[in-house]
Amino acid sequence: MPRSRPAIDSELAAALQVMPIGPNGVFDVTDIPATREAVRALAETIAATIPDEPTVTADEIHVPRADAPDVPVLLLRPQNAPGPLPVIVWFHGGGQVLGFAAQDAPWLKPLSAALGCAVAAVDYRLAPETPAPGAAEDGYTAYRWISDNATDLGLDPTRIGLAGQSGGGGIAAATALLIRDRGATTPLFQMLQYPMLDDRNTTDSSREIADIGIWDRATNLLAWQAILGDRAGTEDVTPYSAASRATDLAGLPPAFIGVGELDVFRDEDLDYAARLRAHGVPVELHLYPGAYHAFDLFAPQSQLAESFRHAWNSFLARHLTKAPATATAS
């Protein structure tokens, strides 16, 4: 007998009623170019309504590399915080097919000011133009460059963490795996907000969440097809393309994972958290009852969104102030 699905939280349900949900959901990935334009226009409209944070500067840096295009990075720095500054390397949401780094600047700037840290928002390449693992390679390139040039930038090379949202959370997780496997310095943390981790779409939640209208099963299948092409769901997928494919999770940085109970990514996120912990990685896990994908963005004033923001802000604040392991061993 099929299980009944939990009810959507009342505040989130009210927000859902006023969303522009078309026949293919809020994010129509059947027409990626048009949806990209719509996402950019919406982000610019929202940004125009939010007062700028004057104490935080924004500089676009183009990180060079020999074998691929430069990686654009939007570097946000608070002017009133004492240096050298810790750094959050940030990966925006958009299912790895939509979005751009500057879309998050309106709320990343106040975060930078509040935490006294720099934020390096990576404008990674999108699918299908750049299949996976191109985005994770961009993340690795940006992380290494920031680590190598931190001192010249007034940043602290011993306090750099990874963070991302949705598709960007998946890229942050894959970037952490690349960093480990290539022997680079371990990041302070990986803060993953409802991350997109598994191309196989075989979990219970990946089947259950089919009709909410935000990022449902059909949308997710199309996005993964764009990201991986014919490789999606086959054995020809590496962990750098879909982090859930990793069987060895030892040696990765401490993780924060937060996801809604009614998110298509719920079960893959819970599984990843459990396997990280089984491999000795510290994990802070939050499951939000009655919450759909990206609930904090669509219902930012809701109690659940407030709780989520408090949780990940606290995680970041605690980890950004930590001394590196090498410094505490003496």
Side-chain angles (χ1 to χ4, degrees):
M1 181 177 178
R3 294 173 295 176
S4 60
R5 194 167 77 188
I8 297 174
D9 173 84
S10 59
E11 289 184 295
L12 304 190
L16 195 63
Q17 294 301 312
V18 298
M19 289 183 204
I21 301 176
N24 296 312
V26 172
F27 302 107
D28 183 359
V29 297
T30 66
D31 187 347
I32 289 174
T35 303
R36 283 179 184 165
E37 288 301 315
V39 166
R40 183 172 290 272
L42 177 61
E44 290 171 351
T45 299
I46 292 171
T49 69
I50 299 173
D52 193 28
E53 174 53 66
T55 65
V56 175
T57 61
D59 298 291
E60 184 162 304
I61 295 169
H62 288 265
V63 176
R65 57 184 163 184
D67 55 347
D70 293 354
V71 181
V73 174
L74 183 66
L75 183 62
L76 309 177
R77 282 182 286 199
Q79 297 305 291
N80 300 334
L85 300 171
V87 189
I88 300 169
V89 178
W90 173 257
F91 300 90
H92 66 80
Q96 304 182 33
V97 296
L98 307 170
F100 56 106
Q103 73 185 27
D104 298 323
W107 67 267
L108 287 175
K109 284 184 174 183
L111 179 75
S112 170
L115 294 178
C117 69
V119 179
V122 182
D123 223 348
Y124 56 86
R125 291 169 295 172
L126 300 175
E129 294 86 348
T130 301
E137 289 286 357
D138 292 352
Y140 175 80
T141 298
Y143 176 82
R144 282 298 307 268
W145 188 87
I146 290 164
S147 298
D148 293 345
N149 294 276
T151 303
D152 291 342
L153 294 167
L155 308 176
D156 186 344
T158 69
R159 291 188 293 159
I160 304 175
L162 306 174
Q165 189 175 68
S166 189
I171 294 166
T175 299
L177 288 162
L178 271 177
I179 291 167
R180 180 198 65 181
D181 294 348
R182 291 177 178 171
T185 303
T186 305
L188 269 187
F189 55 80
Q190 49 181 329
M191 196 274 282
L192 312 177
Q193 299 180 356
Y194 32 84
M196 179 185 193
L197 301 171
D198 197 340
D199 65 291
R200 291 165 290 194
N201 289 277
T202 55
T203 65
D204 287 344
S205 64
S206 75
R207 295 188 176 98
E208 291 167 8
I209 310 305
D211 58 359
I212 291 177
I214 296 175
W215 194 269
D216 294 334
R217 177 177 179 82
T219 304
N220 200 45
L221 287 167
L222 284 171
W224 276 114
Q225 187 177 32
I227 295 163
L228 293 169
D230 292 341
R231 292 177 291 153
T234 73
E235 292 308 305
D236 188 25
V237 177
T238 72
Y240 315 129
S241 298
S244 282
R245 296 299 195 120
T247 55
D248 178 10
L249 299 177
L252 290 169
F256 173 103
I257 296 177
V259 66
E261 182 182 32
L262 299 175
D263 193 321
V264 72
F265 299 142
R266 179 194 70 212
D267 292 340
E268 65 198 61
D269 291 357
L270 296 179
D271 172 72
Y272 200 67
R275 291 194 295 120
L276 282 167
R277 191 67 209 96
H279 283 85
V281 178
V283 177
E284 180 175 330
L285 174 65
H286 296 265
L287 178 65
Y288 292 89
Y292 43 71
H293 186 67
F295 64 96
D296 57 315
L297 303 182
F298 290 108
Q301 305 306 317
S302 65
Q303 292 186 56
L304 283 179
E306 291 281 357
S307 176
F308 183 42
R309 278 194 298 272
H310 177 79
W312 60 256
N313 266 282
S314 174
F315 176 88
L316 291 174
R318 282 180 281 119
H319 283 78
L320 288 169
T321 56
K322 282 184 178 179
T326 52
T328 58
S330 58

